[in-house]
Amino acid sequence: ECPLCLLPQPPEAFPSLASCTHRSCWACLQQYLRLAVSESRVPVSCPHCPAALLPADVHRLLPEPALRDKYEEFLLRRLLVADPGTRWCPAPDCSYAVFAHGCAECPRLTCGREGCGTEFCYHCRQPWHPDGPCAPMPEVPSLATPTAQLAQPEELAHGEALAQAEAEDIKVCPRCSAFIMKINDGSCNRMNCTVCGCLFCWLCLREISDVHFLSPSGCTFWGKRPWSRTRRILWQLGMVLGAPMVISLAAGVAVPVITIGIPIYMGRKVLAGGPGSRRSSLSGCQQCLSVTSSVLLSLFVSPIITALTVGVGVPLMLTYVYGTVVLSLCR
């Protein structure tokens, strides 16, 4: 049975993938690849896990030559976008890339595409301007322009609200400047650009690591806006002052829970073996001996696990509170 369409299929209908062991039928994989390539979600991951499909598998599964060419183009574009020395020709209908490594001191670039030859600037990526410095990017006309002041107050307020909502829903990737849309409903703020693969925070628009939301930056994993400076300082002061009591309470709860909980869990797990397990063929004395031995073994192991948990966890939490948080307060 195919796990995607839930239809029974013969074994030869399930192609093998070099990146993982998951299997789906030909029709489902082809439709999945068509949608992924059409939406420029390249590299394409397995429909069941994050493993990226190899280009050889994608070419073998995609029947349309046009989609295979798109897949290759998207792969190349993603590689070039991630390269800091690559510049794209700003001419209309020209998607030519120029390798401009080491051109910062001589910023005049020329597109090498046949029939184009557009000259543009390395720094601002706009058409070449020999008579002056780089001009700032033109702002999008807003409702605050003089022509917009002729509108009625109600229309103006409504338009400003819509413009602000659109500005909050559409932002640019901090690495490749691709436009990314997200409904500003307080959902997850950990964003991954599908063009260059940049992992960034939706609130502060900075490239981040997995511990960004644990740092005292004011950005939260969920929420529409980062914390204010006052709230952030109060939270950090509360962590510094209340850390000893909270950590002691957590350690005091964790020690008996781990020490007593592991033997109880192991005993119940051995006792609750299913009818097809090895326990069902044992006699009453053998079952009792098996449960007793597992509980006694857990009683010897659980203090070691408790000591490791407390001995490693408490210093890590103290280092974070009195290292990272205190440094943030000092700044």
Side-chain angles (χ1 to χ4, degrees), residues 195-242:
V195 178
C196 65
C198 173
L199 184 66
F200 68 96
C201 173
W202 181 258
L203 299 178
C204 64
L205 293 179
R206 296 177 182 174
E207 293 194 42
I208 61 172
S209 62
D210 291 332
V211 297
H212 171 73
F213 299 105
L214 297 177
S215 63
S217 61
C219 298
T220 55
F221 200 81
W222 294 283
K224 296 183 179 181
R225 289 178 179 83
W227 285 359
S228 64
R229 184 171 179 268
T230 303
R231 184 179 181 183
R232 191 167 64 246
I233 291 177
L234 290 176
W235 172 254
Q236 293 170 2
L237 285 174
M239 290 181 65
V240 172
L241 297 177

Side-chain angles (χ1 to χ4, degrees), residues 252-263 306:
V253 173
V255 169
V257 168
I258 297 176
T259 305
I260 302 174
I262 291 180
T306 304

Side-chain angles (χ1 to χ4, degrees), residues 75-330:
L75 274 183
L76 178 61
R77 281 180 171 273
R78 179 159 186 172
L79 177 65
L80 293 178
V81 164
D83 181 13
T86 301
R87 296 294 184 269
W88 300 90
C89 176
D93 300 327
C94 181
S95 58
Y96 202 81
V98 177
F99 295 100
H101 295 277
C103 296
E105 297 181 358
C106 184
R108 185 176 182 177
L109 304 177
T110 303
C111 177
R113 180 170 175 256
E114 185 178 356
C116 182
T118 301
E119 294 182 345
F120 59 98
C121 178
Y122 171 86
H123 297 292
C124 65
R125 312 184 187 195
Q126 299 300 312
W128 178 244
H129 44 85
D131 300 328
C134 296
M137 292 293 293
E139 295 183 359
V140 179
S142 65
L143 295 172
T145 56
T147 56
Q149 301 297 332
L150 301 176
Q152 296 296 326
E154 296 81 3
E155 296 178 358
L156 184 61
H158 180 65
E160 288 179 349
L162 288 177
Q164 183 179 3
E166 291 179 357
E168 292 178 350
D169 289 348
I170 302 176
K171 297 182 180 180
V172 295
C173 170
R175 181 188 296 175
C176 68
S177 300
F179 288 100
I180 297 176
M181 185 175 184
K182 170 183 176 292
I183 299 177
N184 193 28
D185 57 352
S187 55
C188 176
N189 293 313
R190 182 182 181 272
M191 305 298 295
N192 190 10
C193 177
T194 58
V195 178
C196 65
C198 173
L199 184 66
F200 68 96
C201 173
W202 181 258
L203 299 178
C204 64
L205 293 179
R206 296 177 182 174
E207 293 194 42
I208 61 172
S209 62
D210 291 332
V211 297
H212 171 73
F213 299 105
L214 297 177
S215 63
S217 61
C219 298
T220 55
F221 200 81
W222 294 283
K224 296 183 179 181
R225 289 178 179 83
W227 285 359
S228 64
R229 184 171 179 268
T230 303
R231 184 179 181 183
R232 191 167 64 246
I233 291 177
L234 290 176
W235 172 254
Q236 293 170 2
L237 285 174
M239 290 181 65
V240 172
L241 297 177
M245 181 178 64
V246 175
I247 294 175
S248 301
L249 181 63
V253 173
V255 169
V257 168
I258 297 176
T259 305
I260 302 174
I262 291 180
I264 295 176
Y265 171 77
M266 291 302 299
R268 290 175 62 89
K269 188 176 181 63
V270 173
L271 187 63
S277 64
R278 183 173 175 269
R279 188 193 66 84
S280 58
S281 61
L282 301 178
S283 63
C285 294
Q286 290 175 330
Q287 292 177 9
C288 182
L289 181 61
S290 175
V291 173
T292 304
S293 60
S294 64
V295 170
L296 290 177
L297 181 61
S298 302
L299 286 174
F300 285 106
V301 175
S302 57
I304 300 175
I305 298 177
T306 304
L308 289 175
T309 303
V310 176
V312 175
V314 171
L316 284 177
M317 288 189 287
L318 290 174
T319 302
Y320 171 74
V321 172
Y322 295 106
T324 306
V325 177
V326 170
L327 286 176
S328 178
L329 277 173
C330 293

